[in-house]
Amino acid sequence: MANILVTGGAGYIGSHTCLELLEAGHDVVVLDNLSNSSEESLKRVQELTGKSLKFIQGDIRDPHDLDQAFATHKIDAVIHFAGLKAVGESQKIPLSYFDHNIAGSIQLTQAMERAGVFNLVFSSSATVYDEANISPLDETMPTGMPSNNYGYTKLIVEQLLQKLAIADPRWSIALLRYFNPVGAHKSGRIGEDPQGIPNNLMPYVTQVAVGRREKLSIYGDDYDTIDGTGVRDYIHVVDLANAHLCALNNRLNAKGCRAWNIGTGNGCSVLEVKNTFEKVNGVAVAYEIAPRRSGDVATSFANNARAVTELGWTAKYTLEDMLADSWNWQKQNPTGYQS
Ligand code: NAD
Ligand code: UD1
């Protein structure tokens, strides 16, 4: 069992990953500045597992916070979630995105080097793929220039980490390219808690269903897809969390930098998501068809064969599970962790 530093561990994917790490018997140290999360998520993770983790309120851009974390805890590997993730905001305040996501990742790797820790799992995104690639997307396909500054920071950090691992063979780095994370732990005690108006489909759907928003705007019904609406690869956050444990195992026994897609391999349209949500949960989701959203592609889904073969990871949850679990979380926590 290992001692894992989880940056951004209080957030949506981080909290689910902390839970799986604790369940698997690892020790967990979370470093999070709580800029987009609440310590409540970590309290609930500890309640659910009956195990404790260490929490440091700190910033990945601050070398003192990082050095203190490594000095106080004998860390074996780092899972790096911390960063900003709102696509629209990244167009308005690019410097903050460059600072948190790029400069923060550089500070983190420098602190890791000072501490002699060279195992890293990084949260990347399917957004790094060139838009001209045809789905299913696989890791040998070219990356492109993402249409927004958020995606750009993911691409840059991927490239920095690849170059780092080439220059210094002590490093062992996993780049996990997430497709569309949704769902929540089956208890409904932890889940996604976006601030303000959600940008992403799933929290918008659940907030309409719970009465916090009037109706869902479906961005375009004239794409070349099964029903004209955008197709994505939705992945249950617990499956995604488990991919980090598989990547850690792989990296603790290997060197270099390698990318893996983390998606189910199934594409679902926006209308399929809405209709399945209504069917599985017995609630209506009011909607309207709106113009296409700038920067969207028609279809994006994964070829996940590399993760299945090399990491021994599989996605266990169906779309129905994802939608039931998202709703279970939202119903129990209508205003998120503030409930
Ligand atoms: P989240 O906002 O819930 O979690 C990120 C956490 O990082 C938050 O707890 C926040 O407080 C913390 N944080 C932000 N800046 C920090 C800093 N400078 N120092 C310390 N902590 C900081 O987001 P999430 O959905 O859990 O995403 C986790 C990671 O996965 C992010 O890097 C995100 O870009 C990436 N990712 C997310 C998605 C998605 O759809 N959710 C898709 C692809 C990639
Ligand atoms: C978006 C980001 C991507 C980021 C990911 C996770 C863009 C162009 N891409 O991906 O960089 O990694 O979120 O944070 O923003 N939809 C609606 N109505 C809504 C919301 C979404 O119809 O209110 C549609 C979208 O047009 C899309 C699908 O639902 O077809 C999924 O959208 P979303 O959840 O925002 O994810 P992505 O666009 O795939």
Side-chain angles (χ1 to χ4, degrees), residues 70 107-118 164 168 170-171:
F70 286 108
Q107 290 291 351
L108 174 65
T109 45
Q110 286 175 326
M112 289 176 69
E113 185 179 52
R114 286 194 293 275
V117 178
F118 296 99
L164 177 61
D168 183 344
R170 290 174 298 177
W171 284 92

PDB file of all heavy atoms in Angstrom, residues 70 107-118 164 168 170-171:
ATOM      1  N   PHE A  70       5.268  17.408   1.390  1.00  0.00           N
ATOM      2  CA  PHE A  70       6.214  16.307   1.160  1.00  0.00           C
ATOM      3  C   PHE A  70       7.093  16.048   2.389  1.00  0.00           C
ATOM      4  O   PHE A  70       7.475  14.915   2.645  1.00  0.00           O
ATOM      5  CB  PHE A  70       7.091  16.596  -0.072  1.00  0.00           C
ATOM      6  CG  PHE A  70       6.356  16.435  -1.374  1.00  0.00           C
ATOM      7  CD1 PHE A  70       5.998  17.531  -2.135  1.00  0.00           C
ATOM      8  CD2 PHE A  70       6.007  15.166  -1.838  1.00  0.00           C
ATOM      9  CE1 PHE A  70       5.309  17.384  -3.337  1.00  0.00           C
ATOM     10  CE2 PHE A  70       5.315  15.008  -3.038  1.00  0.00           C
ATOM     11  CZ  PHE A  70       4.969  16.120  -3.790  1.00  0.00           C
ATOM     12  N   GLN A 107       5.153  23.975 -10.653  1.00  0.00           N
ATOM     13  CA  GLN A 107       5.535  24.040  -9.227  1.00  0.00           C
ATOM     14  C   GLN A 107       5.440  22.666  -8.582  1.00  0.00           C
ATOM     15  O   GLN A 107       6.306  22.262  -7.811  1.00  0.00           O
ATOM     16  CB  GLN A 107       4.619  25.015  -8.461  1.00  0.00           C
ATOM     17  CG  GLN A 107       4.815  26.475  -8.792  1.00  0.00           C
ATOM     18  CD  GLN A 107       6.158  27.028  -8.298  1.00  0.00           C
ATOM     19  OE1 GLN A 107       6.892  26.367  -7.562  1.00  0.00           O
ATOM     20  NE2 GLN A 107       6.492  28.230  -8.727  1.00  0.00           N
ATOM     21  N   LEU A 108       4.371  21.947  -8.913  1.00  0.00           N
ATOM     22  CA  LEU A 108       4.172  20.628  -8.311  1.00  0.00           C
ATOM     23  C   LEU A 108       5.309  19.673  -8.699  1.00  0.00           C
ATOM     24  O   LEU A 108       5.882  18.995  -7.835  1.00  0.00           O
ATOM     25  CB  LEU A 108       2.815  20.040  -8.748  1.00  0.00           C
ATOM     26  CG  LEU A 108       2.559  18.608  -8.306  1.00  0.00           C
ATOM     27  CD1 LEU A 108       2.453  18.498  -6.781  1.00  0.00           C
ATOM     28  CD2 LEU A 108       1.273  18.052  -8.952  1.00  0.00           C
ATOM     29  N   THR A 109       5.654  19.629  -9.978  1.00  0.00           N
ATOM     30  CA  THR A 109       6.705  18.690 -10.400  1.00  0.00           C
ATOM     31  C   THR A 109       8.064  19.106  -9.830  1.00  0.00           C
ATOM     32  O   THR A 109       8.886  18.250  -9.487  1.00  0.00           O
ATOM     33  CB  THR A 109       6.755  18.554 -11.935  1.00  0.00           C
ATOM     34  OG1 THR A 109       6.678  19.852 -12.524  1.00  0.00           O
ATOM     35  CG2 THR A 109       5.621  17.701 -12.453  1.00  0.00           C
ATOM     36  N   GLN A 110       8.282  20.409  -9.692  1.00  0.00           N
ATOM     37  CA  GLN A 110       9.548  20.847  -9.070  1.00  0.00           C
ATOM     38  C   GLN A 110       9.620  20.393  -7.614  1.00  0.00           C
ATOM     39  O   GLN A 110      10.662  19.923  -7.151  1.00  0.00           O
ATOM     40  CB  GLN A 110       9.682  22.383  -9.158  1.00  0.00           C
ATOM     41  CG  GLN A 110      10.008  22.847 -10.570  1.00  0.00           C
ATOM     42  CD  GLN A 110      10.033  24.363 -10.702  1.00  0.00           C
ATOM     43  OE1 GLN A 110       9.264  25.068 -10.038  1.00  0.00           O
ATOM     44  NE2 GLN A 110      10.897  24.869 -11.555  1.00  0.00           N
ATOM     45  N   ALA A 111       8.495  20.536  -6.908  1.00  0.00           N
ATOM     46  CA  ALA A 111       8.470  20.102  -5.497  1.00  0.00           C
ATOM     47  C   ALA A 111       8.633  18.587  -5.407  1.00  0.00           C
ATOM     48  O   ALA A 111       9.301  18.073  -4.504  1.00  0.00           O
ATOM     49  CB  ALA A 111       7.168  20.543  -4.834  1.00  0.00           C
ATOM     50  N   MET A 112       8.038  17.866  -6.357  1.00  0.00           N
ATOM     51  CA  MET A 112       8.191  16.406  -6.366  1.00  0.00           C
ATOM     52  C   MET A 112       9.664  16.049  -6.549  1.00  0.00           C
ATOM     53  O   MET A 112      10.208  15.179  -5.852  1.00  0.00           O
ATOM     54  CB  MET A 112       7.345  15.780  -7.489  1.00  0.00           C
ATOM     55  CG  MET A 112       5.846  15.823  -7.224  1.00  0.00           C
ATOM     56  SD  MET A 112       4.867  15.192  -8.611  1.00  0.00           S
ATOM     57  CE  MET A 112       5.264  13.445  -8.577  1.00  0.00           C
ATOM     58  N   GLU A 113      10.324  16.738  -7.462  1.00  0.00           N
ATOM     59  CA  GLU A 113      11.744  16.459  -7.710  1.00  0.00           C
ATOM     60  C   GLU A 113      12.565  16.729  -6.449  1.00  0.00           C
ATOM     61  O   GLU A 113      13.413  15.928  -6.062  1.00  0.00           O
ATOM     62  CB  GLU A 113      12.240  17.316  -8.881  1.00  0.00           C
ATOM     63  CG  GLU A 113      13.669  17.011  -9.278  1.00  0.00           C
ATOM     64  CD  GLU A 113      14.121  17.855 -10.453  1.00  0.00           C
ATOM     65  OE1 GLU A 113      13.980  19.090 -10.404  1.00  0.00           O
ATOM     66  OE2 GLU A 113      14.600  17.278 -11.439  1.00  0.00           O
ATOM     67  N   ARG A 114      12.270  17.861  -5.780  1.00  0.00           N
ATOM     68  CA  ARG A 114      13.010  18.174  -4.545  1.00  0.00           C
ATOM     69  C   ARG A 114      12.809  17.081  -3.508  1.00  0.00           C
ATOM     70  O   ARG A 114      13.709  16.748  -2.746  1.00  0.00           O
ATOM     71  CB  ARG A 114      12.526  19.520  -3.957  1.00  0.00           C
ATOM     72  CG  ARG A 114      12.987  20.742  -4.716  1.00  0.00           C
ATOM     73  CD  ARG A 114      12.770  22.021  -3.887  1.00  0.00           C
ATOM     74  NE  ARG A 114      11.374  22.358  -3.666  1.00  0.00           N
ATOM     75  CZ  ARG A 114      10.617  23.054  -4.513  1.00  0.00           C
ATOM     76  NH1 ARG A 114      11.113  23.462  -5.659  1.00  0.00           N
ATOM     77  NH2 ARG A 114       9.357  23.329  -4.221  1.00  0.00           N
ATOM     78  N   ALA A 115      11.600  16.504  -3.503  1.00  0.00           N
ATOM     79  CA  ALA A 115      11.267  15.483  -2.492  1.00  0.00           C
ATOM     80  C   ALA A 115      11.658  14.074  -2.946  1.00  0.00           C
ATOM     81  O   ALA A 115      11.504  13.117  -2.188  1.00  0.00           O
ATOM     82  CB  ALA A 115       9.770  15.544  -2.185  1.00  0.00           C
ATOM     83  N   GLY A 116      12.106  13.945  -4.183  1.00  0.00           N
ATOM     84  CA  GLY A 116      12.488  12.611  -4.680  1.00  0.00           C
ATOM     85  C   GLY A 116      11.292  11.718  -4.965  1.00  0.00           C
ATOM     86  O   GLY A 116      11.368  10.499  -4.861  1.00  0.00           O
ATOM     87  N   VAL A 117      10.171  12.334  -5.357  1.00  0.00           N
ATOM     88  CA  VAL A 117       8.951  11.572  -5.702  1.00  0.00           C
ATOM     89  C   VAL A 117       8.736  11.733  -7.210  1.00  0.00           C
ATOM     90  O   VAL A 117       8.620  12.860  -7.703  1.00  0.00           O
ATOM     91  CB  VAL A 117       7.722  12.098  -4.934  1.00  0.00           C
ATOM     92  CG1 VAL A 117       6.453  11.342  -5.329  1.00  0.00           C
ATOM     93  CG2 VAL A 117       7.955  12.004  -3.438  1.00  0.00           C
ATOM     94  N   PHE A 118       8.656  10.610  -7.938  1.00  0.00           N
ATOM     95  CA  PHE A 118       8.652  10.707  -9.404  1.00  0.00           C
ATOM     96  C   PHE A 118       7.463   9.985 -10.056  1.00  0.00           C
ATOM     97  O   PHE A 118       7.466   9.790 -11.266  1.00  0.00           O
ATOM     98  CB  PHE A 118       9.983  10.188  -9.969  1.00  0.00           C
ATOM     99  CG  PHE A 118      11.153  11.035  -9.548  1.00  0.00           C
ATOM    100  CD1 PHE A 118      11.958  10.650  -8.477  1.00  0.00           C
ATOM    101  CD2 PHE A 118      11.420  12.241 -10.169  1.00  0.00           C
ATOM    102  CE1 PHE A 118      13.014  11.439  -8.066  1.00  0.00           C
ATOM    103  CE2 PHE A 118      12.474  13.047  -9.774  1.00  0.00           C
ATOM    104  CZ  PHE A 118      13.275  12.640  -8.710  1.00  0.00           C
ATOM    105  N   LEU A 164       9.514  16.156 -19.846  1.00  0.00           N
ATOM    106  CA  LEU A 164      10.182  15.908 -18.568  1.00  0.00           C
ATOM    107  C   LEU A 164      10.596  14.442 -18.454  1.00  0.00           C
ATOM    108  O   LEU A 164      11.732  14.128 -18.078  1.00  0.00           O
ATOM    109  CB  LEU A 164       9.215  16.287 -17.429  1.00  0.00           C
ATOM    110  CG  LEU A 164       9.690  16.044 -16.002  1.00  0.00           C
ATOM    111  CD1 LEU A 164      10.949  16.853 -15.693  1.00  0.00           C
ATOM    112  CD2 LEU A 164       8.568  16.434 -15.019  1.00  0.00           C
ATOM    113  N   ASP A 168      14.407  13.066 -18.090  1.00  0.00           N
ATOM    114  CA  ASP A 168      14.813  12.521 -16.785  1.00  0.00           C
ATOM    115  C   ASP A 168      14.128  11.172 -16.566  1.00  0.00           C
ATOM    116  O   ASP A 168      12.939  11.123 -16.258  1.00  0.00           O
ATOM    117  CB  ASP A 168      14.417  13.529 -15.691  1.00  0.00           C
ATOM    118  CG  ASP A 168      14.872  13.081 -14.318  1.00  0.00           C
ATOM    119  OD1 ASP A 168      15.206  11.877 -14.152  1.00  0.00           O
ATOM    120  OD2 ASP A 168      14.874  13.915 -13.396  1.00  0.00           O
ATOM    121  N   ARG A 170      13.949   9.168 -14.290  1.00  0.00           N
ATOM    122  CA  ARG A 170      13.393   8.789 -12.978  1.00  0.00           C
ATOM    123  C   ARG A 170      11.865   8.926 -12.975  1.00  0.00           C
ATOM    124  O   ARG A 170      11.189   8.336 -12.140  1.00  0.00           O
ATOM    125  CB  ARG A 170      13.973   9.691 -11.879  1.00  0.00           C
ATOM    126  CG  ARG A 170      15.450   9.449 -11.595  1.00  0.00           C
ATOM    127  CD  ARG A 170      15.996  10.452 -10.616  1.00  0.00           C
ATOM    128  NE  ARG A 170      15.920  11.832 -11.118  1.00  0.00           N
ATOM    129  CZ  ARG A 170      16.288  12.907 -10.436  1.00  0.00           C
ATOM    130  NH1 ARG A 170      16.768  12.783  -9.205  1.00  0.00           N
ATOM    131  NH2 ARG A 170      16.201  14.121 -10.957  1.00  0.00           N
ATOM    132  N   TRP A 171      11.316   9.703 -13.910  1.00  0.00           N
ATOM    133  CA  TRP A 171       9.877   9.985 -13.869  1.00  0.00           C
ATOM    134  C   TRP A 171       9.039   8.848 -14.431  1.00  0.00           C
ATOM    135  O   TRP A 171       9.438   8.178 -15.396  1.00  0.00           O
ATOM    136  CB  TRP A 171       9.562  11.260 -14.657  1.00  0.00           C
ATOM    137  CG  TRP A 171       9.934  12.480 -13.906  1.00  0.00           C
ATOM    138  CD1 TRP A 171      11.126  13.147 -13.976  1.00  0.00           C
ATOM    139  CD2 TRP A 171       9.143  13.170 -12.930  1.00  0.00           C
ATOM    140  NE1 TRP A 171      11.120  14.214 -13.108  1.00  0.00           N
ATOM    141  CE2 TRP A 171       9.915  14.256 -12.458  1.00  0.00           C
ATOM    142  CE3 TRP A 171       7.850  12.984 -12.415  1.00  0.00           C
ATOM    143  CZ2 TRP A 171       9.431  15.155 -11.495  1.00  0.00           C
ATOM    144  CZ3 TRP A 171       7.377  13.874 -11.458  1.00  0.00           C
ATOM    145  CH2 TRP A 171       8.161  14.937 -11.003  1.00  0.00           C
TER     146      TRP A 171
END
